[in-house]
Amino acid sequence: MNLDGKVTVITGAASGIGYAIAKRFVEADGRVAIADVDKDKAEEAANELGDQTIAVTMDVTDEDSVNAGVDEVAKRWGRIDGLLSNAGVQIVHRLEDFPFDEWKKLTSIHLDGAFLTTKACIRHMYKQKSGSLIYMGSVHSKEASALKSAYVTAKHGLLGLTRVMAIEGADYGVRSNLICPGFVETPMVKKQIPEQAENLGISEDEVRNQIMLGGTVDKEFTQASDIAEVAVFLAAFPSNALTGQSIVASHGWYMN
């Protein structure tokens, strides 16, 4: 699985799953734009990963910021071969207690971010008649969980966008696929454990072992490195046979 110098914009890549994917893409001889709202962290990540990366400051909810960032990458390397729309947040509340501004914040980052970065990147991909769009979904693109109305809604929406772009991109050689991780052991997930324990009135161990890992076959968290392997597989896939698909990596929590 070699990327042969392909240029990929990865949003939210300064930390967590995005960083793990960027690292794996560099190892696979890819060139990566670390696109993140945190300029300092993006630059730090790019410095760590070496000459095949650049840092791009990008607020995925702002159209001007997205367009400027993608154009900066295209100017630097002359092309855009891939987008990995990964930027995201998690906010948990019961629906009756969910503040509207927090609902809009979450759905904007996930859905507006995917829309705007896709629109900016396909301007370049369509001209070159090739490209790979990869969206970061979730098992919650397929299943629902309590307290996650905004997140589940957003992740279901990304499944729809993936399928639409598989159809619209086909005439231009652009593939579109969705990665659906289970609970990945990241700081964002670890932060949810005490929040859900408080909201549900149960212990943190019960959240971890029953809510998060109860549906898995082995009671194991998915790792960021697992998701990075799926991402490089999709990005390096040699033909348009694999498009419009959602690949679940969840230790068996959800089985297609």
Side-chain angles (χ1 to χ4, degrees):
M1 292 186 290
N2 192 288
L3 294 176
D4 297 320
K6 289 180 179 176
V7 176
T8 305
V9 177
I10 305 179
T11 65
S15 60
I17 295 173
Y19 180 84
I21 294 171
K23 183 175 184 292
R24 184 66 184 90
F25 275 36
V26 169
E27 292 170 351
D29 193 31
R31 292 177 287 179
V32 176
I34 307 288
D36 204 282
V37 70
D38 190 321
K39 178 182 178 181
D40 292 339
K41 285 187 177 179
E43 291 177 348
E44 181 180 348
N47 288 335
E48 289 173 357
L49 295 178
D51 293 340
Q52 288 175 256
T53 65
I54 60 171
V56 177
T57 306
M58 184 184 293
D59 176 354
V60 298
T61 68
D62 181 89
E63 187 169 13
D64 291 339
S65 176
V66 169
N67 289 340
V70 169
D71 288 346
E72 179 183 341
V73 177
K75 183 177 180 180
R76 169 68 179 271
W77 281 318
R79 59 189 297 115
I80 302 287
D81 298 295
L83 165 68
L84 206 152
S85 178
N86 167 76
V89 295
Q90 178 61 281
I91 303 171
V92 295
H93 295 289
R94 291 186 180 278
L95 185 73
E96 64 268 27
D97 300 323
F98 217 119
F100 188 34
D101 61 339
E102 293 188 8
W103 169 282
K104 289 187 289 185
K105 174 183 177 181
L106 187 151
T107 56
S108 181
I109 292 171
H110 288 269
L111 292 176
D112 295 350
F115 164 74
L116 290 173
T117 53
T118 298
K119 189 176 181 182
C121 286
I122 60 174
R123 288 189 290 109
H124 302 278
M125 293 177 180
Y126 284 5
K127 289 177 183 177
Q128 66 200 33
K129 297 291 186 179
S130 66
S132 171
L133 302 169
I134 303 174
Y135 301 98
M136 190 57 65
S138 168
V139 169
H140 287 109
S141 297
K142 313 274 190 174
E143 295 280 358
S145 291
L147 309 180
K148 296 185 177 181
S149 54
Y151 188 80
V152 171
T153 298
K155 293 304 188 183
H156 272 65
L158 288 173
L159 177 58
L161 178 62
T162 298
R163 290 169 171 170
V164 169
M165 290 313 302
I167 297 170
E168 291 193 7
D171 288 342
Y172 304 92
V174 173
R175 296 178 289 116
S176 172
N177 293 289
L178 184 75
I179 302 175
C180 298
F183 282 102
V184 181
E185 199 169 22
T186 63
M188 187 172 78
V189 166
K190 290 177 181 178
K191 178 176 177 288
Q192 292 176 53
I193 295 174
E195 292 175 344
Q196 291 201 44
E198 181 179 356
N199 274 294
L200 294 171
I202 60 178
S203 71
E204 292 187 15
D205 281 344
E206 287 174 308
V207 171
R208 182 183 296 105
N209 297 322
Q210 295 178 22
I211 304 297
M212 291 186 170
L213 302 179
T216 68
V217 298
D218 53 11
K219 301 298 185 289
E220 295 285 340
F221 279 106
T222 304
Q223 299 300 314
S225 57
D226 298 323
I227 306 308
E229 290 298 331
V230 176
V232 77
F233 166 74
L234 289 172
F237 197 79
S239 79
N240 292 334
L242 190 59
T243 192
Q245 303 305 308
S246 53
I247 297 181
V248 181
S250 67
H251 286 256
W253 173 19
Y254 180 89
M255 299 186 188
N256 283 320

